[in-house]
Amino acid sequence: MSSHRYVAEYDDEDYQEYGEYEQPKDPRRPYEDVESYEPYEPFDDDLVPEDPRAGRGVRRVLSGAGGLILTPVALGLLAWGGLRQQMLVQATLSTQRDVLSIGLLVGGGILLLSVGLLGALSATGPILGGLVWGVAPGVATIAVPEWGFRLVKYLPQNDVTYGVTSWLFIGGLLATGFLLIGAGLASRLARRRR
C-alpha cells in the first residue's frame, strides 16, 4: 500500500453539477442561516452610563432643609400640647379631655414621623434636625444649666416656650434628638447594604 493520499482535482463546473455540499449545522448556532434573523447591533461605546449618585445633592438639600424646618415645629407642637395636657390634668385634677392639646400632640408626632421618613431621601434631614434642635441644646443644658435659661430667653414668652423649657430640662429634647439621629443613621446603613 502506498502512503500517498490521492487528492482529486476538479473544476468548479464539476462541483456545481452535483450541488453544494451541506455543512452540518452547529447546535450552538441554530439561527445562523435563518434569513429573517436580524444581526445584533453593536453597543455604542460613546454613551455615558448614568451615574447612580446623580441627584444625590438635591436629595440631601431637600432632606436637610426639611429636617431643620420641621423638627422645631414638631417639638413646639409636642411641647405646647404636653403643657396644656399637664395643666388641665395635674393643676385642676380633671379627667376631661382637651381636644386642642390632643390635636397638638398628634400633629407634632406626625411631623416628627415625617422628619424620620426624610431619611428615605437622605439621612441628612433626621441627623441635622436631631443634632441642631435636640442634642445640641440638651447637652448644653446638661453641661451648663445657665445656657438653658439663656436659650429660653431668646424664645417668645408663651405656652410653647414654657413647654419647651420643661422638655429641655427633663431631657426630652435630648432624647428626641438622639432618636432622630438614630433614624438617620439607620437609613444610611440600610442604603449602603443594598
Side-chain angles (χ1 to χ4, degrees):
M1 261 190 139
S2 172
S3 63
H4 296 284
R5 293 185 180 177
Y6 176 74
V7 178
E9 292 184 10
Y10 53 88
D11 53 6
D12 288 341
E13 291 176 7
D14 294 337
Y15 178 70
Q16 289 178 358
E17 184 179 312
Y18 296 105
E20 290 187 20
Y21 172 71
E22 288 189 19
Q23 295 284 335
K25 289 187 178 182
D26 186 359
R28 293 173 292 178
R29 300 180 184 171
Y31 303 111
E32 194 171 71
D33 57 346
V34 178
E35 293 179 10
S36 65
Y37 176 71
E38 295 180 7
Y40 173 74
E41 294 182 8
F43 179 73
D44 189 5
D45 291 336
D46 294 337
L47 292 175
V48 178
E50 278 190 35
D51 186 8
R53 295 178 290 179
R56 187 179 288 179
V58 174
R59 291 193 307 250
R60 283 183 178 164
V61 168
L62 288 175
S63 179
L68 287 175
I69 293 169
L70 294 178
T71 304
V73 175
L75 293 174
L77 291 176
L78 286 169
W80 186 17
L83 179 70
R84 285 183 58 93
Q85 197 70 358
Q86 179 186 10
M87 288 186 334
L88 177 70
V89 174
Q90 286 182 350
T92 62
L93 298 175
S94 173
T95 57
Q96 296 177 1
R97 290 173 185 85
D98 182 24
V99 178
L100 180 59
S101 63
I102 292 171
L104 291 170
L105 289 169
V106 170
I110 290 172
L111 282 179
L112 272 184
L113 175 66
S114 63
V115 172
L117 289 175
L118 285 173
L121 285 176
S122 171
T124 307
I127 290 175
L128 268 181
L131 185 64
V132 171
W133 299 110
V135 174
V139 168
T141 303
I142 289 171
V144 185
E146 295 84 23
W147 291 357
F149 289 112
R150 288 182 188 162
L151 287 172
V152 171
K153 285 182 183 178
Y154 292 117
L155 298 173
Q157 300 303 313
N158 55 25
D159 286 348
V160 178
T161 303
Y162 298 135
V164 169
T165 304
S166 65
W167 265 49
L168 182 62
F169 285 102
I170 65 171
L173 290 181
L174 183 66
T176 305
F178 276 121
L179 283 173
L180 286 176
I181 290 173
L185 291 176
S187 68
R188 178 172 287 175
L189 291 174
R191 197 175 294 116
R192 283 187 180 174
R193 288 184 181 175
R194 286 186 220 163

